[in-house]
Amino acid sequence: MENCIFCKIIAGEIPSQRVYEDSEVVIFKDIEPIARVHLLCVPREHFAHLSELNASREALLGRTLKKIADLAPSLGLEDGYRLIINQGENAGQTVHHLHIHILGGETLGWQ
Ligand code: 5GP
Ligand code: ZN
């Protein structure tokens, strides 16, 4: 997808601090962390919103959540973490390539 910053990061055209990657997802550090650990888990496939889910993307998302749970201890998230998927304007979504924020590494406040 042209002009998508996360597609460019996935393609390696924009540098990022990757902590994990496989054939389906890339996980890298958020450039403006709001918690001691703040990662972004991004499917390699470009789609913007949960409203665009289809059967294969549903399955991808399910595998991705399991992957995050399995990886959590190795990412400094052994004491718990929070996942956030911002959707649309009211949620403040700024990058329109679906991504899961992974927050942790400390006790998180609520809002
Ligand atoms: P959203 O608000 O769309 O849910 O989250 C987008 C996130 O992407 C923000 O937390 C922002 O800091 C992060 N971000 C935006 N541009 C870049 C970038 O070039 N590199 C990295 N690593 N993170 C970025
Ligand atoms: Zn994209």
Side-chain angles (χ1 to χ4, degrees):
M1 187 72 173
E2 259 176 70
N3 295 323
C4 170
I5 197 160
F6 285 176
C7 282
K8 287 180 180 164
I9 285 175
I10 289 164
E13 292 164 15
I14 292 176
S16 67
Q17 289 186 271
R18 292 187 188 205
V19 299
Y20 175 83
E21 66 183 299
D22 63 22
S23 60
E24 294 187 324
V25 299
V26 176
I27 304 180
F28 53 88
K29 294 185 182 181
D30 196 292
I31 204 167
E32 286 184 58
I34 60 163
R36 206 163 288 158
V37 178
H38 185 173
L39 304 171
L40 298 170
C41 180
V42 185
R44 288 183 185 272
E45 185 193 356
H46 178 99
F47 62 101
H49 301 115
L50 291 169
S51 58
E52 297 163 60
L53 286 183
N54 54 29
S56 89
R57 289 169 181 171
E58 280 179 27
L60 167 67
L61 216 51
R63 287 192 297 277
T64 299
L65 292 176
K66 173 76 166 90
K67 219 168 270 180
I68 291 169
D70 290 345
L71 288 168
S74 69
L75 298 175
L77 300 164
E78 56 282 347
D79 294 329
Y81 54 93
R82 180 175 296 153
L83 304 182
I84 296 173
I85 305 178
N86 288 324
Q87 291 294 279
E89 203 175 321
N90 277 2
Q93 184 179 5
T94 56
V95 179
H96 294 275
H97 179 138
L98 191 104
H99 53 279
I100 304 172
H101 292 261
I102 308 172
L103 301 172
E106 61 182 315
T107 303
L108 301 167
W110 187 245
Q111 296 211 332

